[in-house]
Every structure is written in structure tokens, then in C-alpha cells.
Amino acid sequence: MAHPKSDFLQILTERGFIHQTSDLDAIDQLAAKGEIIAYVGYDCTAPSLHVGSLISIMMLHWLQQTGNKPITLMGGGTTRVGDPSGRDETRRILTLEKIEEHKTGIGKVFDRFLSFGDGKDDALMVDNADWLAPLNYIDFLRDVGKNFSVNRMLSMDSAKMRLDREQELSFIEFNYMLLQAYDYVELARRLGCNLQMGGSDQWGNIVTGMDLGRRMGTHQLHALTCPLLTTASGAKMGKTASGAVWLNEDQLSAYDYWQYWRNTEDADVGRFLKLFTTLPMDEIARLEKLEGADVNDAKKVLATEATALLHGRGKAEAAAETARKTFEQGAVGDDLPVVEVAAAELGAGISVILAFVTAGLVASNSEARRQIKGGGLKVNDKPVSDDKLKLDSSNLSDENVIKLSMGKKKHVLLRPV
RNA sequence: GGAGGAGUGCCCGAGUGGCUAAAGGGGACGGGCUGUAAACCCGUUGACUUCGGUCUACGUUGGUUCGAAUCCAACCUCCUCCA
């Protein structure tokens, strides 16, 4: 469909959110009337979501902005089983306590993107443990299981991949798609849900749910998936030096989050501006035209806008300012991570090696020595050449800190207390 | 239950008695080039170190040997085939 009528599909299409849909015309008609009730499921496998999930959160955001109702489904029940999709090994089975903990962590992030409440277009958050946990095995087999063909299940990518590679697919995992399909039916019945969205790896699970809905007599259900993002050079999105790009601030600071977006590859800037900011399309078009070193301006806009969505405008601008000072002036930015040391210890002099280990910039004394040999460590922007160097109060800057750097991008301030 | 096969560093994977902290590749980190990009080039990639070395490591536990990732035994885990 070249020109969707609904604002929702209009936006998703022009911003590059759509990978695959079941019946685009039908979804368009519902969206135009503000009658979409859509959900995305999030399993509680980690204490926070990461940028990989952001694209689906943005879809929910636009859905609500265009007058439809979003539902976030917490997989409190399905996480107990574990989704085999796209995995070549069985997930470790998490304890119920962990799952609860993760659920709380993950839930926090949605307030930034959605407005929750009881009104018609307000977002809802539900937990599939509410209906999955009390299920009775025999009843479930009779009511739901009879609608599934093992032949077909075996042919689905999530199962096929394991079978083809002769890797274990345990029975518990094999059941995951039944539960996710059943979720869709349950949400359709309880809340009138009529659309499930997710990453393209979820397509199989989603259409299985649609199919189950038809067999179990719900209204017509729909599917819409977004592309799984990789960077232009093919890497999976969401990894940095220090691990995943978490959305919760206690897992990844606003400054580091800003830096993540700032370091976007040139070829990705336009695509990411469309997906991860709410800037108007004509503004994005302008930024996309920038070339050469000017692309950096677009990356800064991307970083600030994306960070503002998640952490608020104030923190985004503070991060931008710190980055400006740190990288463009070589000065000391306020937002850099600070590590405190006892003033007395510093007065007595501490070895550079210990200082860098304490700051967490290197993992061990040996690594510190190696990095010094390789010229990777700096104190107050001056390379360290001697691993026996001692730091003391004479190294303190006017701001009463010592700036430790590893490479060009990682900096920590050492402050005496 | 029977018969085979496999378990090596972050990952993949070579190595079948000393020259092995363990080839090669990937990833990661650092340096160079640049624009805090990509690509490319170089270096590093167990810990501790007074830089002489020391210690810990090839599924687990024992054994043989001057010496074991390599040989032997038992155990654990996984895979394949048979019942």
C-alpha cells in the first residue's frame, strides 16, 4: 500500500518500521478509526530492556499518538518457559524471584513513551502469568493443544533451526509458541486486542496466534512486525564496549546512552533518526543531506533526541554538554563518571596502575601495564609512559579532580574526599 | 541397557609426551588514518611481578612419568547409532 489512510500506518511506513504485515488494508481501516488495540510482549529475561526493544516501544508510542490503544504485555508467565526463537541454546531457566525482579525493572521504562490509565486510548500493562500460571494441563491440551499441528510446528523456523543443526530443543521450549499464541487469544477476549506487533523473528509466533484465534472463534486478529536492526556494517544493534545498551538508567547512564547514539555509523544516521526520534520528517530529511564531517551534527541531534525521549531533555542536554567539553575542548565535563578516593591516600601517592583499576577503566593490573605499553592510558590528557608513576595531589586540576582516560572515549574523574 | 564419538582460552578451532600460556580465525581492547563514523593498517588479548621471573589453566578426580592438554583409571556432561 503506497498511501495508507491512517496516520498510524502513514507514520510507520515513512519511518521504516514495517517489515511484514498480515492484512495491511484491514489494519489501515481499523487504525483510521482509532480502533486498533495492539500489544507487544516483553519477556522478563533481564533486569532491563535494551535498545533492541526500543523499536517496538516506538511503535507502541506512535500507535498511541495516533489515537489507538497500546498494551504492553509482560511475559511473567512465558519467561518461565523460554522462547527458543533465534537461539541455538536453551535459555537458562530463571527462578520466579528473578522473573519478578526483572519485570519490575523492565516495567519502569514504558512511562517515558506511553501514557497509562483507564481511558479509551490509555496504555495498559498486563502480565501473562495472570492467565498462564493457573492453567490446567489437561484442559489446556483439550481446548488449545488440539488446535496445533506438530507437523506444522516442526516446520517453523524457531524449531527447524534447532532440528536442522541437531541441537537440543526441549519440550518446555517447544511449548513456548503455544503459550504466546494463547496469549494473543486471551488478550483478544479480555481486552479486545486485535493486533500483535514485534520483531520480525516473532512473525511465526504471531501468525500462530492469529490462527489459533480463528480456530477458537475470536474476532479477526492481525500481525505487524518490524525489522530486526543491525548496523550498516552488519553488527547486531545494542552492544557496546561495556555490554548491552540498557534502557534503565541504573544499568546505563544517560551520558553513556547519549554516547551510544553519538557513535552511530554514518550510514545508519537517517534510518535511526526516523526510528528512534520523533523529529518531523522534513527536519530528518535536512539532517540526512549532511555529508562528510557534517554528519556529526546529525549524530549529535540523534543522540540528544533519543536520550531526551528516554531520560528527559535535561539529562540529554547535560550529556551533550559534557561530550562537547570532553571531546571538542578537551576540558573536563561535569557528567563524566566520578570515582572517589580518600584524600589521605592520594596525598600519600597512589600508583597509576591502582588508580586505573580503581576507576574501573581496566580490569587488572596486567591490563593496565599492557595499556600503558600500548599508549592507551592518559592522566589529565597526557599519555602515561611509565607504569611506576605515582599520582598525588599535585595532579589535581583546578576543579579538584584527576582525569583518567583509556583510549579516546572512556574517561573517569578521580575525586579526593 | 549396549556400541561408538566428543568435552581446549570470551567464542570457534588446531594440537596426541618436553621447543605450549597453548597454532589459526572471530570477537574485544589499544594505537595509526579520520570526523568521537565506516573501511583499512599495526599492536595487545590468564593473573601477579621488584620485569629476573612466579603462579594458575586444556570437563572432574586420581594415577603413570624426570616431565602430561597429550598416556592410564574412574566419574560427570553432551552427541550418534542400536535395543
Side-chain angles (χ1 to χ4, degrees):
Chain A
M1 181 188 321
H3 297 289
K5 298 191 298 259
S6 64
D7 292 343
F8 176 60
L9 285 189
Q10 174 73 44
I11 289 174
L12 258 56
T13 306
E14 69 186 10
R15 287 185 176 259
F17 280 94
I18 297 178
H19 179 255
Q20 221 174 345
T21 56
S22 51
D23 181 346
L24 203 54
D25 281 316
I27 296 171
D28 194 36
Q29 279 172 29
L30 285 167
K33 289 183 281 180
E35 288 176 3
I36 297 268
I37 301 176
Y39 92 94
V40 179
Y42 299 93
D43 270 356
C44 310
T45 48
S48 163
L49 295 177
H50 53 79
V51 283
S53 305
L54 196 54
I55 182 163
S56 67
I57 299 176
M58 289 305 293
M59 289 200 292
L60 290 174
H61 171 81
W62 288 119
L63 180 80
Q64 186 167 47
Q65 293 304 308
T66 53
N68 296 282
K69 186 176 188 74
I71 300 169
T72 58
L73 173 70
M74 307 305 285
T78 35
T79 310
R80 296 186 202 175
V81 170
D83 185 2
S85 303
R87 297 212 132 222
D88 53 10
E89 272 173 23
T90 303
R91 286 171 194 272
R92 202 167 54 86
I93 294 188
L94 295 163
T95 63
L96 297 188
E97 293 75 46
K98 278 279 173 229
I99 292 173
E100 271 308 300
E101 213 178 294
H102 293 168
K103 199 174 91 183
T104 312
I106 288 170
K108 287 192 283 195
V109 81
F110 294 104
D111 288 335
R112 291 279 177 193
F113 298 89
L114 301 172
S115 109
F116 288 86
D118 299 323
K120 178 183 166 291
D121 298 340
D122 285 338
L124 285 179
M125 181 177 292
V126 292
D127 180 354
N128 60 18
D130 291 351
W131 56 84
L132 294 180
L135 283 177
N136 171 296
Y137 192 55
I138 300 286
D139 291 343
F140 184 73
L141 289 179
R142 286 172 64 93
D143 296 340
V144 179
K146 69 172 180 201
N147 295 307
F148 283 82
S149 149
V150 170
N151 311 47
R152 215 169 77 78
M153 286 170 72
L154 287 174
S155 73
M156 297 188 65
D157 280 350
S158 55
K160 214 172 70 184
M161 192 181 89
R162 294 280 187 90
L163 296 174
D164 289 351
R165 298 168 67 173
E166 296 189 340
Q167 275 158 339
E168 165 97 356
L169 174 67
S170 74
F171 185 66
I172 183 175
E173 295 176 281
F174 190 53
N175 279 271
Y176 186 92
M177 71 174 89
L178 273 77
L179 296 183
Q180 183 168 339
Y182 181 65
D183 276 348
Y184 199 175
V185 171
E186 202 53 45
L187 285 169
R189 287 176 171 169
R190 288 176 178 229
L191 302 168
C193 183
N194 50 19
L195 174 65
Q196 182 180 175
M197 305 192 290
S200 56
D201 60 333
Q202 293 297 312
W203 179 255
N205 287 340
I206 296 173
V207 296
T208 303
M210 288 173 54
D211 197 44
L212 182 65
R214 191 173 52 74
R215 288 166 192 266
M216 293 182 73
T218 67
H219 49 264
Q220 177 65 51
L221 302 177
H222 299 282
L224 190 164
T225 56
C226 56
L228 281 190
L229 281 191
T230 52
T231 65
S233 48
K236 269 188 196 147
M237 265 197 77
K239 293 286 180 201
T240 64
S242 38
V245 181
W246 302 111
L247 299 183
N248 287 5
E249 199 171 359
D250 49 4
Q251 308 263 333
L252 189 77
S253 72
Y255 173 74
D256 287 330
Y257 189 74
W258 193 93
Q259 282 296 322
Y260 171 74
W261 293 109
R262 173 62 182 83
N263 284 304
T264 296
E265 292 175 30
D266 284 12
D268 291 323
V269 174
R271 196 159 55 108
F272 288 0
L273 280 165
K274 287 182 206 153
L275 291 169
F276 299 114
T277 76
T278 52
L279 289 174
M281 287 299 286
D282 51 358
E283 172 68 3
I284 292 174
R286 186 186 69 79
L287 291 167
E288 269 184 312
K289 289 207 189 78
L290 297 174
E291 281 178 14
D294 291 338
V295 179
N296 284 324
D297 293 332
K299 291 186 191 178
K300 287 177 207 166
V301 173
L302 169 64
T304 302
E305 291 303 315
T307 307
L309 271 178
L310 181 64
H311 295 302
R313 175 94 21 208
K315 285 182 178 162
E317 277 165 8
E321 178 58 15
T322 292
R324 201 182 63 77
K325 280 189 187 160
T326 308
F327 288 98
E328 291 172 24
Q329 299 183 344
V332 171
D334 306 327
D335 232 14
L336 292 177
V338 172
V339 171
E340 299 183 332
V341 284
E345 252 181 81
L346 186 64
I350 58 176
S351 75
V352 252
I353 291 179
L354 181 63
F356 275 94
V357 172
T358 311
L361 288 171
V362 293
S364 68
N365 294 2
S366 300
E367 194 191 345
R369 289 195 180 89
R370 275 200 297 279
Q371 289 295 356
I372 288 170
K373 280 199 191 99
L377 299 187
K378 291 188 201 124
V379 172
N380 294 329
D381 299 313
K382 283 195 284 291
V384 178
S385 52
D386 176 11
D387 63 10
K388 292 191 193 64
L389 184 73
K390 293 259 185 197
L391 298 183
D392 57 35
S393 32
S394 69
N395 297 99
L396 288 169
S397 68
D398 297 341
E399 292 92 351
N400 198 39
V401 291
I402 300 175
K403 182 180 175 191
L404 304 179
S405 314
M406 157 129 143
K408 288 176 194 139
K409 296 182 186 176
K410 280 175 277 181
H411 311 277
V412 166
L413 303 179
L414 213 57
R415 172 173 294 151
V417 282

